[in-house]
Amino acid sequence: MAILLHVEVVQRRQSRASKEYIKDLVHTFLANFVSLTPGASLTDDDFYENQELMEHVQCITFCDVENDSSAVVLTECEIKYHIYTLDTFGAETDTMMDSASGEEIAAAEVCALPAEQFHGLWESLVYDSKLKEDTLRFVETAFEFSDRNVDSNIISWNRVVLLHGPPGTGKTSLCRALAQKLAIRLSHKFPRARLLEINAHGLFSKWFSESGKLVAKLFDRIREIVEDKRLFACILVDEIESLAHTRRAAIAGLEPSDSIRAVNAILTQLDRLKHHPNALVLTTSNVTGAIDVAFVDRADIKRLVGPPSDRAAYKILHGCCCELMNRGVVVPKETLLTLHVLEASRFADSEGSRASLQLREVAMEAAAANMSGRALRRLPFLAKALHAPAQVNLIQFIDALNLALKQYLSDIQDLND
Ligand SMILES: Nc1ncnc2c1ncn2[C@@H]1O[C@H](COP(=O)(O)OP(=O)(O)OP(=O)(O)O)[C@@H](O)[C@H]1O
């Protein structure tokens, strides 16, 4: 069976060419390649000699659902093209006024998709399990069921996703990346797409005398958006546990009891969205135990998102080092081996593998300490700022990464003591 390869093509905003024309252009260009690596992208640097591509295309990314890293042979692939432009306007904050206190609350952020700010986010997230692919497939299946009018009384699905796990493991980023990916993949059905991020923590971190009304107003606005059946709407509720926290505080008499009503209103309103086949609810939580059982039950897919394993940590640090070499921060540009190549050589020590093996040591130590993806991505910055000479080569930089990691672990230890 042929491998399905999705080729995502970002068309330049100023290009007026038709999608069909861009598709032919890219297809002809790809005939120059024998194999491609899923997750890889081609930009100006890779096709600057092709005038037509330069004029119309900003970036070409390859993704296949089965395989996230090893190369695929083009003649064995069925290629699906997705041609789109990126929205550059950024997010718009939807504010609401609590008329009793006069305080203004940022209730939601709305942004048109696919957005420039989320470009490449999907590819930058590294997980060992098939978390990204599974989540994407789940949502695609939910939309297929809706398309085929599968009776939801017989097979129930709500188009609600819950990602939970420790802070900094990429839950919010994954939700945003998923929304962007779906906006691209489902554009034949939904030519327009929006991401609405509800600030649950902001709405409930403090009691506003009119929380109930604010929730109602917020969902009036969301309903207005989802009424457009040709628009795909992703509603992201970060830190959903803050709803449960408010409920508990109200029951304990620490908050006015009508705050329970406001929280219940959010849950009911989220529930109602399931009647809109163009709406998807994405939620995240740092603490699974504290989430409302009523809510957990509604989510079709609940996935634990943990800190990167040593393999994922290596991939993340590998990507960081390559970026710094590409930008001339670490010079000269040298080859860092991928994990596949290291494994194939059984981690044999040689001139060409030394830097990679040292980087792997750092990755293994970071993973053993359960370092979050967020902390890991910050490590190269700390290494350059505090532990590297002004002119730094790759081996020196990996030494600096090691020192930065040691410092991080000792700072964490001090905090825990
Ligand atoms: N597995 C990962 N692969 C690559 N990058 C990661 C990974 N996990 C986290 N990051 C990076 O860490 C940063 C923080 O991620 P994000 O805010 O999405 O995490 P979170 O789990 O939602 O955190 P919180 O619960 O504290 O809000 C992002 O820049 C993201 O790119």
Side-chain angles (χ1 to χ4, degrees):
M1 211 170 75
I3 299 166
L4 181 61
L5 182 74
H6 292 271
V7 175
E8 299 178 357
V9 182
V10 182
Q11 183 172 1
R12 290 194 193 279
R13 286 185 65 76
Q14 68 272 20
S15 158
R16 293 285 162 261
S18 71
K19 289 189 177 181
E20 227 20 66
Y21 176 83
I22 302 281
K23 183 180 147 186
D24 288 345
L25 212 56
V26 176
H27 194 72
T28 312
F29 179 69
L30 292 187
N32 298 321
F33 294 79
V34 176
S35 64
L36 289 166
T37 309
S41 290
L42 301 177
T43 53
D44 291 7
D45 287 348
D46 307 290
F47 47 76
Y48 64 93
E49 283 176 337
N50 186 323
Q51 273 302 319
E52 272 184 306
L53 265 188
M54 283 296 281
E55 191 183 335
H56 299 286
V57 172
Q58 188 177 326
C59 176
I60 308 171
T61 306
F62 311 100
C63 329
D64 101 64
V65 275
E66 297 301 335
N67 177 341
D68 198 27
S69 46
S70 48
V72 291
V73 177
L74 267 179
T75 49
E76 292 172 3
C77 294
E78 177 196 333
I79 302 182
K80 202 159 181 190
Y81 288 94
H82 306 273
I83 321 280
Y84 57 96
T85 50
L86 293 171
D87 185 277
T88 50
F89 288 102
E92 219 178 85
T93 306
D94 223 343
T95 53
M96 289 182 183
M97 180 80 87
D98 179 43
S99 52
S101 63
E103 267 186 76
E104 200 157 75
I105 307 142
E109 297 230 317
V110 186
C111 118
L113 297 175
E116 174 106 69
Q117 75 211 85
F118 303 139
H119 178 59
L121 186 56
W122 179 268
E123 288 72 27
S124 78
L125 293 168
V126 186
Y127 296 102
D128 253 354
S129 62
K130 292 239 164 249
L131 177 69
K132 291 196 296 184
E133 296 74 12
D134 286 355
T135 325
L136 181 60
R137 266 205 214 158
F138 153 75
V139 185
E140 284 179 335
T141 308
F143 280 101
E144 186 191 338
F145 274 31
S146 302
D147 262 1
R148 295 183 185 275
N149 287 323
V150 173
D151 187 342
S152 60
N153 293 316
I154 301 175
I155 299 168
S156 88
W157 79 96
N158 294 329
R159 282 189 306 276
V160 178
V161 176
L162 168 65
L163 299 180
H164 61 95
T169 46
K171 301 177 296 293
T172 313
S173 306
L174 181 54
C175 288
R176 290 174 177 152
L178 182 66
Q180 172 104 337
K181 187 74 40 192
L182 288 163
I184 296 166
R185 297 271 173 98
L186 300 174
S187 67
H188 56 285
K189 247 166 82 88
F190 305 110
R192 295 175 288 286
R194 295 281 180 283
L195 172 67
L196 292 100
E197 296 194 19
I198 297 182
N199 181 0
H201 185 68
L203 273 179
F204 292 103
S205 59
K206 168 176 181 304
W207 170 244
F208 293 105
S209 59
E210 297 189 322
S211 281
K213 277 193 203 159
L214 292 175
V215 169
K217 247 200 255 176
L218 177 64
F219 276 87
D220 279 350
R221 168 113 174 81
I222 293 177
R223 250 192 312 279
E224 249 171 53
I225 293 176
V226 298
E227 282 302 307
D228 177 353
K229 296 196 168 33
R230 299 275 285 157
L231 183 147
F232 168 60
C234 264
I235 295 100
L236 166 58
V237 191
D238 235 344
E239 300 184 33
I240 190 109
E241 72 273 11
S242 52
L243 304 188
H245 170 83
T246 307
R247 254 220 252 219
R248 268 201 308 277
I251 291 166
L254 301 171
E255 294 212 32
S257 61
D258 44 353
S259 66
I260 295 188
R261 249 172 280 145
V263 169
N264 287 348
I266 281 223
L267 293 175
T268 317
Q269 298 276 16
L270 286 174
D271 226 17
R272 286 205 187 131
L273 286 174
K274 77 174 178 200
H275 300 300
H276 293 268
N278 53 336
L280 169 72
V281 177
L282 302 170
T283 60
T284 76
S285 171
N286 282 341
V287 268
T288 314
I291 316 172
D292 227 287
V293 181
F295 178 78
V296 172
D297 223 30
R298 284 176 173 94
D300 297 305
I301 186 166
K302 311 160 189 96
R303 296 298 299 262
L304 173 69
V305 187
S309 64
D310 50 0
R311 294 179 64 86
Y314 181 81
K315 244 179 145 177
I316 294 173
L317 290 178
H318 180 283
C320 294
C321 291
C322 291
E323 171 71 6
L324 291 178
M325 286 192 282
N326 286 337
R327 305 288 167 195
V329 178
V330 174
V331 279
K333 214 165 160 173
E334 289 176 56
T335 306
L336 257 183
L337 305 176
T338 64
L339 212 47
H340 285 288
V341 174
L342 279 179
E343 279 164 351
S345 71
R346 300 187 179 196
F347 304 103
D349 191 0
S350 68
E351 189 69 37
S353 67
R354 197 143 306 141
S356 314
L357 290 174
Q358 283 185 18
L359 186 66
R360 183 166 170 264
E361 295 286 320
V362 179
M364 291 205 300
E365 198 174 342
N370 278 331
M371 198 168 180
S372 72
R374 178 187 284 139
L376 204 56
R377 280 212 182 280
R378 199 177 298 126
L379 212 55
F381 174 77
L382 297 175
K384 176 69 181 88
L386 304 176
H387 303 283
Q391 277 272 351
V392 60
N393 65 29
L394 184 58
I395 281 286
Q396 289 169 322
F397 185 68
I398 295 172
D399 280 343
L401 273 177
N402 196 17
L403 292 174
L405 174 64
K406 298 272 182 309
Q407 165 130 38
Y408 170 86
L409 296 178
S410 115
D411 290 349
I412 292 282
Q413 183 71 41
D414 290 347
L415 273 174
N416 290 339
D417 287 344

